[in-house]
């Protein structure tokens, strides 16, 4: 599978702390995977190579610590 696109991200630095909380969700771009892969995901718009994917598999939650 080949993918190229944009995934918007929200980052929040906790005040007086070296910790950042990150939330990444949504995919806008090119995806050449099999149409069945795109068709089974609820929230995936577009069945061709260009898609907007808002399914839960695109949700990423993370934290980073800056030393």
């Amino acid at each position: 599978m080949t993918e190229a696109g944009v995934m918007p991200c929200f980052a929040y630095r906790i005040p007086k702390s070296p910790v950042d909380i990150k939330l990444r969700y949504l995919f806008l771009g090119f995806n050449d995977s099999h149409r069945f892969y795109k068709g089974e995901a609820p929230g995936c718009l577009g069945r061709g190579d260009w898609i907007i994917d808002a399914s839960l598999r695109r949700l990423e939650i993370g934290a980073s610590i800056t030393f």
Side-chain angles (χ1 to χ4, degrees):
M1 175 174 74
T2 302
E3 249 183 11
V6 177
M7 287 186 72
C9 178
F10 172 76
Y12 176 74
R13 174 160 290 184
I14 299 173
K16 300 179 183 177
S17 170
V19 178
D20 293 338
I21 304 295
K22 298 180 180 184
L23 174 71
R24 188 177 296 169
Y25 183 61
L26 198 61
F27 174 79
L28 303 137
F30 175 82
N31 179 311
D32 75 342
S33 68
H34 192 272
R35 291 179 192 266
F36 177 76
Y37 174 77
K38 295 179 237 181
E40 73 180 16
C44 185
L45 301 174
R47 300 296 180 243
D49 289 337
W50 294 94
I51 63 169
I52 299 173
D53 192 351
S55 61
L56 282 179
R57 68 176 170 209
R58 295 293 181 172
L59 179 63
E60 296 179 21
I61 300 171
S64 64
I65 299 173
T66 305
F67 293 100

